[in-house]
Amino acid sequence: MKKNDWLPLARKLDWKFKYVTEAEVFPPQMSGTPWLKHHDWKQWEEPYKTTYSEYVRGQAAKDAGLDAMREAVGNSEHYKTLSPAWLNSLKLYGATFPLAEFAATIGNLRACRFARDSAWRMSACFGALDEFRHTQIPLLLMQDLVKIDGQFDWTQRFYHTNNWVAIAARHLVDELLLTSNPIEFAIATNFVFETGFTNLQFVGLASLAQGVGDKMFEKMVKSIQSDESRHAQIGPAVMKILVQHDKEYAQFLLDKWFWRSWLLFAVVTGFSMDYFTPLEHRKQSFKEFMEEWVLKQFLGTLDRFGLKKPWYWDQFLQATENYHHMVYASAYTYRATVWFDFVVPGPEERKWLKEKYPGSWPAYEPIWDRISECWRESDPGNDLAVHGTAIVTFCELCQLVLSNGTPNQNSACESVYQGKKHIFCSEPCRRIFEAEPERYCDHKDVVNRVLTGEAPANVVALIRRYFGLDYDTWGKDVYQGQYAWNPADKKGGDR
Ligand code: MN
Ligand code: MN
């Protein structure tokens, strides 16, 4: 039989239950709310329809393409020819994405069983297979690189540690991917994360990888994105029905997950685009990629559903000019607390950043002036000479350092819940917490872990014993602070 003769029937295999009620088969705790009868979901339709045999054939061809590329350029010799600054994009991606993709397998599998229409469940089943692929491919490719650089071992290790970035990433991933019901998963993951944001990392960053000469990364993320764009269509299909029945909830989920996703991509993609990509290979700034993929394309999607921009839109626009610069500067001065290395933007990079961020960059100049000055005055090669020593404070929602706002005005704020004071990096994080405080209030951030004796208070002990790093793997300045444009002040400084 031809596909079109049988697929329309096979996609829709829902039936009436005789011995149990629909609510027993699809309890709201597992299937999500608003809880509607199947009658209301049966118009659910994915625009791109596929069969299992088509799926398998297509995926096998993609994997063959990747194998051929791995054969040609996947070896460690090739990686030694790439910019050492760029490699940190891979370390950041390798640690934060592959095992989160595995969590997305689980989120999809829940939808596979508890989503409310059979076509939706089948699409989620393909999504689960996709996400498992997105776990395996980078784990395999990054494993090859461990022998050239032990920091790549964090591809496997990261989510199994109590590193502060891992605590933040788990806080997001646990909620977004592991515990979401199929409705929240479809809006948060398929609609916001995969329709709005993954293009930044998988299309935008892939185009930079091409310039850098990292063909393997380019091929890998493009291959991953081809799956994402297929299963992301679950999101708009669910959104279409959700807005008809509970538009307010749809807007709530959109506002919440747009902000949470933004913070993650600002760090992972923002650092890679504006700091780790060598200047000669930069095409657009992170903000320009945001404008293209998120502001233009995604906002158009919101319009189609009659949804509004998130309420914090002005704060978000200000954050696109500042947030990743704030976190990068802050993380640079605490680089031994992470598993990848950093670079100081030199005069040429700073000129470029000023052109791209005319309204915000001048406020960052004094920070980098001061860091450059510290390097000039320190002993060559003493990486910890230019490093913070006190434990910093974290947001109790996103678990990242309190680095929202601008260098002149940090936007940290507080909220009291059940007599306990909580601190947040920004108003959106505070309001997300306040909307579902019981969901978040028992989570301990790093500072609370120190205060309760779970984690050591001394920074070096914290890094070694709690974050799981040692001298070989912790983050350093890629060039040990020795830049031709920043010669040492010291007499006899031989660099
Ligand atoms: Mn994926
Ligand atoms: Mn996905």
Side-chain angles (χ1 to χ4, degrees), residues 373-382 385-386 480 488 490 495:
E373 187 189 322
C374 287
W375 277 121
R376 286 198 299 276
E377 290 166 357
S378 74
D379 293 326
N382 180 5
V386 185
Q480 284 102 44
K490 276 189 163 182
R495 49 180 86 182

Side-chain angles (χ1 to χ4, degrees), residues 97 101 104 127 130-132 134-135 194 198 202 224 227-228 231:
F97 270 72
E101 305 259 24
D130 289 340
E131 303 298 10
F132 196 53
H134 307 169
T135 311
E194 294 170 344
T198 57
F202 293 156
I224 289 175
D227 297 344
E228 295 296 339
H231 65 240

Side-chain angles (χ1 to χ4, degrees), residues 96-97 99-110 131 159 169-181 185 188-190 193-194 257:
T96 51
F97 270 72
L99 292 193
E101 305 259 24
F102 181 68
T105 304
I106 295 170
N108 273 294
L109 288 175
R110 183 173 295 112
E131 303 298 10
Y159 278 102
R170 275 201 300 270
H171 191 280
L172 173 79
V173 164
D174 284 356
E175 186 183 7
L176 175 72
L177 305 169
L178 288 181
T179 63
S180 275
N181 64 59
F185 185 83
T189 304
N190 303 128
F193 199 90
E194 294 170 344
W257 287 109

Side-chain angles (χ1 to χ4, degrees), residues 30 66 70 147 151 190 316 369 378 383 393 417 432 441 475 486-487:
M30 295 304 286
L66 272 172
R70 185 183 176 215
K147 54 179 172 286
Q151 289 179 328
N190 303 128
F316 164 69
D369 283 343
S378 74
D383 202 80
T393 320
Y417 177 68
I432 292 168
C441 69
N486 193 39

